[in-house]
Amino acid sequence: MKNDVNRQFRLKTRPTGRIEKSNFDFVDEPIPEPGKGEALIRVLYLSLDPTNRIWMSDMDQYMPPVEIGEVMRGGGIGVVVKSNSARYKEGAYVSGLTGWQDYCIADEGARAMSVLPDGLPVDLPVMLGACGMTGLTAYFGLLELGRPQPGETVLVSAAAGAVGSVVGQIAKIKGCRAVGIVGGPDKCRHIVEDLGFDAAVDYKAKDWREQLAAATPDGIDVNFENVGGEIMEAVMARMNLFSRMPLCGMISGYNTGDPAMRGDFSPILMRRINVRGFIVIDFMEKFAEGTMQLAQWVMEGKLKHRETIVDGLENAPVAVNRLFDGENIGKLVVKL
Ligand SMILES: NC(=O)c1ccc[n+]([C@@H]2O[C@H](COP(=O)([O-])OP(=O)(O)OC[C@H]3O[C@@H](n4cnc5c(N)ncnc54)[C@H](OP(=O)(O)O)[C@@H]3O)[C@@H](O)[C@H]2O)c1
């Protein structure tokens, strides 16, 4: 990494389909000077998330889209290198919206970042994954909206990824049967043998619908939905009376713009399924509680985690496509 400039990815054009490097300008800017009440942060790790693709587009979304010419929005972890604020001590680690760049400014208002505690018991990338935003997404989406009861069947799609891998393991901690849908035999093996899921369904196999039926003999009580499209429709057809469906994501349509569902709402009516969309920030007030619990499970060995780490800020726009190609296991991060 160059230390004398601030390399930044600025959005040049909105992607149509896959994200291309040409959608960005990669520019060198001077390293910013922190003003009063501000701190200069050197970014160490970037979180790559499916929502980056949403932010690049101008579709209806939960935050304003990234403007053309603006630094690409992204979560990350950095270290305080210069500070004019009592909130940020030099050398402390912080997490928040760093953007796709080498340096950012944190303040005490709209651009405030969370200061991570000293002596973290886990490596920094885990604070972006199992103990970070994706872990919290799994935790609150499953427990507050899915409300799994012991003995129930919890199904999660994109089950080998950052959110899904945590959902299945929390389901097991809560005494449920955990079933994951993933692409390919390696991920099937991983979620069952390494993470302790009860069954896996390979949606890339010809007989995936039969696999789904065999893996859910008593139907599905909670569907933690990450994917949308025909996988979601097949799962909904197997959901039980008064079952719950936290709608977390619809990644199958982010590049294509395909609707999550083509029309059959009848399972929602006939089986009174409680479908509830959510964004993790809806639970912001409880983040500290969630983080403590996730960290405790990690320390106790009850919650396993994995990170796929890509080197170099310059690789972010290409690496983010791994999420759409299924080339990540666990949390995808860029190390700067
Ligand atoms: N609501 C919220 O606040 C919130 C927060 C974080 C994430 N999310 C959502 O949660 C979901 C998972 O996010 P994540 O960060 O944990 O990513 P991730 O699961 O680590 O990575 C995405 C995975 O999705 C699978 N996938 C990609 N395209 C697919 C397709 N067309 N059909 C089926 N599977 C596909 C791939 O796994 P395979 O190899 O198995 O295909 C890929 O590895 C996304 O929908 C995301 O938008 C929502």
Side-chain angles (χ1 to χ4, degrees):
M1 182 190 116
K2 287 201 214 167
N3 281 319
D4 51 344
V5 293
N6 187 19
R7 297 173 305 161
Q8 301 179 320
F9 278 105
R10 290 180 175 268
L11 189 63
K12 185 157 106 191
T13 51
R14 301 199 185 281
T16 50
R18 285 171 72 79
I19 299 162
E20 305 288 345
K21 217 172 171 177
S22 60
N23 293 125
F24 298 90
D25 282 320
F26 194 36
V27 298
D28 288 352
E29 293 282 341
I31 297 170
E33 268 300 316
K36 194 165 174 270
E38 294 183 341
L40 176 67
I41 311 298
R42 183 157 65 82
V43 183
L44 301 175
Y45 291 96
L46 272 186
S47 171
L48 293 184
D49 296 280
T51 200
N52 291 135
R53 177 66 182 79
I54 294 175
W55 292 339
M56 288 172 203
S57 79
D58 55 8
M59 70 185 277
D60 179 27
Q61 53 191 281
Y62 60 95
M63 280 172 88
V66 176
E67 295 297 335
I68 300 297
E70 212 182 320
V71 175
M72 180 56 208
R73 186 186 299 138
I77 286 184
V79 61
V80 179
V81 288
K82 213 177 196 183
S83 180
N84 298 321
S85 159
R87 179 187 163 100
Y88 304 105
K89 303 233 175 345
E90 284 174 22
Y93 295 119
V94 293
S95 76
L97 288 176
T98 57
W100 287 13
Q101 55 188 342
D102 288 315
Y103 292 91
C104 67
I105 294 286
D107 68 13
E108 295 165 1
R111 288 185 296 167
M113 298 180 73
S114 303
V115 179
L116 301 179
D118 286 341
L120 276 179
V122 295
D123 292 338
L124 288 176
V126 186
M127 296 307 294
L128 293 174
C131 296
M133 282 297 171
T134 50
L136 291 168
T137 304
Y139 182 86
F140 290 113
L142 181 63
L143 297 181
E144 301 263 337
L145 306 178
R147 300 187 317 279
Q149 305 303 310
E152 287 190 331
T153 296
V154 173
L155 181 132
V156 59
S157 44
V163 174
S165 58
V166 176
V167 169
Q169 293 182 83
I170 298 177
K172 289 305 296 175
I173 290 169
K174 297 293 173 187
C176 299
R177 174 176 172 78
V179 179
I181 301 186
V182 291
D186 286 348
K187 287 190 178 180
C188 285
R189 188 207 55 72
H190 170 60
I191 65 169
V192 172
E193 290 179 17
D194 303 335
L195 304 183
F197 281 58
D198 295 285
V201 174
D202 176 3
Y203 74 87
K204 291 185 175 165
K206 273 206 185 99
D207 65 343
W208 69 272
R209 288 171 193 274
E210 289 79 18
Q211 289 185 30
L212 177 62
T216 56
D218 301 325
I220 296 164
D221 301 294
V222 180
N223 170 31
F224 192 105
E225 184 58 52
N226 281 326
V227 165
E230 63 174 333
I231 294 176
M232 179 175 96
E233 290 182 357
V235 169
M236 286 179 76
R238 295 197 58 74
M239 290 182 73
N240 292 332
L241 198 61
F242 297 114
S243 52
R244 286 82 63 200
M245 183 169 130
L247 179 49
C248 175
M250 303 181 295
I251 193 169
S252 68
Y254 294 173
N255 277 336
T256 60
D258 281 349
M261 196 167 178
R262 292 206 177 271
D264 188 4
F265 278 58
S266 57
I268 300 175
L269 170 64
M270 300 307 170
R271 274 167 272 125
R272 285 81 114 193
I273 303 171
N274 189 350
V275 179
R276 169 69 199 275
F278 75 100
I279 299 293
V280 63
I281 48 177
D282 301 343
F283 300 97
M284 194 136 56
E285 281 162 19
K286 296 185 183 174
F287 275 5
E289 166 210 315
T291 309
M292 295 275 281
Q293 179 60 86
L294 290 162
Q296 191 182 331
W297 283 333
V298 167
M299 307 282 289
E300 291 169 354
K302 291 181 181 160
L303 179 58
K304 303 208 170 62
H305 59 87
R306 205 149 131 183
E307 294 78 36
T308 299
I309 299 183
V310 174
D311 263 316
L313 173 66
E314 62 280 9
N315 294 316
V318 173
V320 71
N321 283 306
R322 288 185 174 210
L323 296 165
F324 302 94
D325 299 337
E327 285 175 2
N328 66 303
I329 291 191
K331 178 73 200 138
L332 182 61
V333 297
V334 172
K335 184 175 190 300
L336 272 67

